Amino acid sequence: MKRYGNDDRVLAVEVMNEPGDGTNDKPGTVPFAQSMFQTAKSLQETVPLTLGSARVKVAQEFIPLDLDIINFH
């Protein structure tokens, strides 16, 4: 965030790609991704933050954290 936070060549910083909410009794990575997102948000300058997600349910958990861009793929 310090190096590229104001770099006008960067469209956005993806904090994490496809955090999972856990399946088959395996813990998910959403809590980790939320923590990383909050850290990135606290250091954010002008470059927007995004999160890559394949599921709407997971992406919605980041909207209250002031997610700038939702990237679905």
Side-chain angles (χ1 to χ4, degrees), residues 1-7 9-17 36-37 39-41 43-52 67-71:
M1 296 305 299
K2 289 179 183 178
R3 185 172 186 175
Y4 298 106
N6 286 315
D7 192 328
R9 298 171 298 170
V10 178
L11 179 63
V13 172
E14 184 174 78
V15 176
M16 187 169 182
N17 184 44
M36 289 301 297
F37 185 86
T39 299
K41 196 68 174 176
L43 300 171
Q44 182 182 21
E45 294 188 35
T46 60
V47 175
L49 298 178
T50 186
L51 175 88
L67 179 64
D68 297 312
I69 300 168
I70 300 174
N71 172 17

Side-chain angles (χ1 to χ4, degrees), residues 20-57:
D21 55 358
T23 57
N24 300 326
D25 297 325
K26 294 180 183 177
T29 55
V30 167
F32 171 78
Q34 288 171 324
S35 178
M36 289 301 297
F37 185 86
Q38 289 172 325
T39 299
K41 196 68 174 176
S42 73
L43 300 171
Q44 182 182 21
E45 294 188 35
T46 60
V47 175
L49 298 178
T50 186
L51 175 88
S53 182
R55 299 178 57 209
V56 173
K57 177 185 171 193

